């Protein structure tokens, strides 16, 4: 039987993984993969051709993090982001059940 500590650590890892996948989905939806030349399926840490793209994306994230620390910018971005997501959901094709 797993002890409580192992279960908690496992649950935390799963939650972290789900969050990272969601962040990746948002990065893709925002067009960042295309903008930074990220090739799907390539290992960003090991692929020599992805080194510059990954470094540029990382620097972009660092700049974004610095900007996000400014007063009131997160609430402004949240409102604007919700508007953009609502508009995007109106134009995306709906999946039909087969």
């Amino acid at each position: 039987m797993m002890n409580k500590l192992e279960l908690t650590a496992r649950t935390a890892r799963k939650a972290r993984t789900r969050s990272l996948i969601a962040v990746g989905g948002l990065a893709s939806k925002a067009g960042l993969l295309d903008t930074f030349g990220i090739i799907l399926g390539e290992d960003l840490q090991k692929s020599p051709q992805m080194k510059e793209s990954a470094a540029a994306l990382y620097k972009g994230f660092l700049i974004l993090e610095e900007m996000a620390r400014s007063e009131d910018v997160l609430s402004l971005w949240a409102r604007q982001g919700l508007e953009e997501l609502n508009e995007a959901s109106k134009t995306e094709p709906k999946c039909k059940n087969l």
Side-chain angles (χ1 to χ4, degrees), residues 30-80:
L32 291 176
L33 302 182
D34 291 335
T35 299
F36 285 89
I38 303 298
I39 300 169
L40 294 178
E42 288 290 322
D43 187 326
L44 297 181
Q45 294 177 327
K46 294 180 182 176
S47 174
Q49 71 187 63
M50 289 287 92
K51 187 174 184 175
E52 285 187 23
S53 294
L57 180 59
Y58 178 65
K59 179 60 178 178
F61 282 142
L62 291 174
I63 292 169
L64 177 64
E65 192 277 331
E66 187 176 320
M67 291 172 62
R69 282 190 253 144
S70 300
E71 288 183 31
D72 301 323
V73 76
L74 288 179
S75 59
L76 172 64
W77 286 354
R79 286 193 308 275
Q80 292 172 339

Side-chain angles (χ1 to χ4, degrees), residues 83-94:
E83 290 172 8
E84 293 286 336
L85 286 169
N86 286 334
E87 285 300 313
S89 69
K90 291 177 186 175
T91 60
E92 289 177 355
K94 303 291 184 208

